[in-house]
């Protein structure tokens, strides 16, 4: 009888250990879902520190320039009379106003707040805000436009030889004589 009790205790302690381990693993798995959501104030702090509004404001002229280019291409592809040109101009202006309004900070800020709430915990948002408020974060924000410009230049330089090869291939295809038509069988 004395042998059974220590074995039972060991079995019970192993069972207790296994249950505790399972509970700990289960809690660890759901902990991210239980993490505190960030408040609007937390997200607004991050958006201010990361200069989200000014980044959006610098993107708008680029988007408008692309839009103008598309309208110019439409006008160049067709022979438009004066009335049609005026209509196209009005459509371009109306489209520009619509895009500017749809992409305004007033319209997009609530979307940013909702998306940040869905994506990040309070801890994440506060850590990012602290980073962007730091000198390293401000330096990153200051240097990112130059970095992106340098990346674009480097990509263009890397792609240039590929475009030369592509141009040669296209010329070879265009200058290739058409195959002779096979005689019709009777």
């Amino acid at each position: 009888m004395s042998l059974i009790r220590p074995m039972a205790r060991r079995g019970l302690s192993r069972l207790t250990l296994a249950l505790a381990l399972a509970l700990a693993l289960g809690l660890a798995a759901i902990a991210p879902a239980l993490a505190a959501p960030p408040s609007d104030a937390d997200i607004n702090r991050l958006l201010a520190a990361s200069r989200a509004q000014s980044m959006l404001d610098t993107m708008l002229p680029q988007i408008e320039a692309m839009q103008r280019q598309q309208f110019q291409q439409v006008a160049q592809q067709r022979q438009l009379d004066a009335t049609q040109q005026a209509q196209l101009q009005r459509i371009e202006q109306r489209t520009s106003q619509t895009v500017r309004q749809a992409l305004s900070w007033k319209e997009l800020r609530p979307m940013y707040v909702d998306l940040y709430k869905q994506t990040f915990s309070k801890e994440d948002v506060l850590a990012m805000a602290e980073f962007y408020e730091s000198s390293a974060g401000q330096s990153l924000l200051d240097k990112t436009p130059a970095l992106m410009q340098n990346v674009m230049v480097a990509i263009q330089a890397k792609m240039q030889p590929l475009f030369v090869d592509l141009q040669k291939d296209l010329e070879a295809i265009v200058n290739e004589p058409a195959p002779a038509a096979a005689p019709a069988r009777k």
Side-chain angles (χ1 to χ4, degrees), residues 47-66:
L47 294 174
S50 65
R51 303 179 194 163
Q53 182 176 356
S54 66
M55 282 191 215
L56 179 64
D57 291 344
T58 59
M59 284 176 26
L60 272 173
Q62 295 169 355
I63 292 169
E64 289 175 333
M66 289 188 315

Side-chain angles (χ1 to χ4, degrees), residues 24-42:
L25 289 173
L27 288 175
I30 63 169
L34 298 176
S39 67
D40 286 9
D42 297 332

Side-chain angles (χ1 to χ4, degrees), residues 1 19-20 25-26 36 38 54 69 72 86 93 110 132 143 157 169-170 173-174 179 182 185:
M1 190 93 167
L19 286 174
L25 289 173
S54 66
Q69 214 172 22
Q72 288 170 355
Q93 289 170 349
Y132 282 117
K143 294 175 183 174
D169 291 345
L170 288 172
I173 291 169
V174 169
R185 293 187 181 198

Side-chain angles (χ1 to χ4, degrees), residues 11-173:
L12 186 58
S13 65
R14 284 186 183 157
L15 178 62
T16 304
L17 180 63
L19 286 174
L21 183 60
L23 181 62
L25 289 173
L27 288 175
I30 63 169
L34 298 176
S39 67
D40 286 9
D42 297 332
I43 295 169
N44 287 331
R45 176 182 167 201
L46 172 58
L47 294 174
S50 65
R51 303 179 194 163
Q53 182 176 356
S54 66
M55 282 191 215
L56 179 64
D57 291 344
T58 59
M59 284 176 26
L60 272 173
Q62 295 169 355
I63 292 169
E64 289 175 333
M66 289 188 315
Q67 180 185 330
R68 270 192 306 278
Q69 214 172 22
Q70 289 174 337
F71 276 98
Q72 288 170 355
Q73 287 174 350
V74 167
Q76 290 171 354
Q77 291 170 352
R78 294 174 176 80
Q79 295 292 335
L80 302 177
D81 61 29
T83 304
Q84 291 171 320
Q85 286 177 358
Q87 285 176 325
L88 187 63
Q89 251 184 339
R90 283 193 300 275
I91 293 170
E92 180 181 353
Q93 289 170 349
R94 192 169 52 235
T95 303
S96 180
Q97 288 172 340
T98 301
V99 167
R100 193 167 267 285
Q101 182 179 357
L103 297 180
S104 71
W105 186 245
K106 179 183 174 189
E107 292 292 321
L108 290 183
R109 193 196 69 71
M111 180 193 73
Y112 272 81
V113 171
D114 288 342
L115 292 173
Y116 274 72
K117 279 183 179 179
Q118 293 171 24
T119 309
F120 300 108
S121 70
K122 180 179 188 81
E123 183 180 336
D124 293 335
V125 169
L126 293 177
M128 287 185 283
E130 285 179 27
F131 169 72
Y132 282 117
E133 290 168 346
S134 73
S135 60
Q138 291 297 302
S139 179
L140 174 68
L141 291 170
D142 291 340
K143 294 175 183 174
T144 296
L147 172 65
M148 296 313 296
Q149 182 63 36
N150 291 339
V151 166
M152 291 305 297
V153 169
I155 289 173
Q156 287 173 349
K158 189 166 188 66
M159 297 299 291
Q160 190 60 34
L162 299 175
F163 288 133
V164 170
D165 289 345
L166 179 62
Q167 183 67 31
K168 288 178 187 175
D169 291 345
L170 288 172
E171 287 176 13
I173 291 169

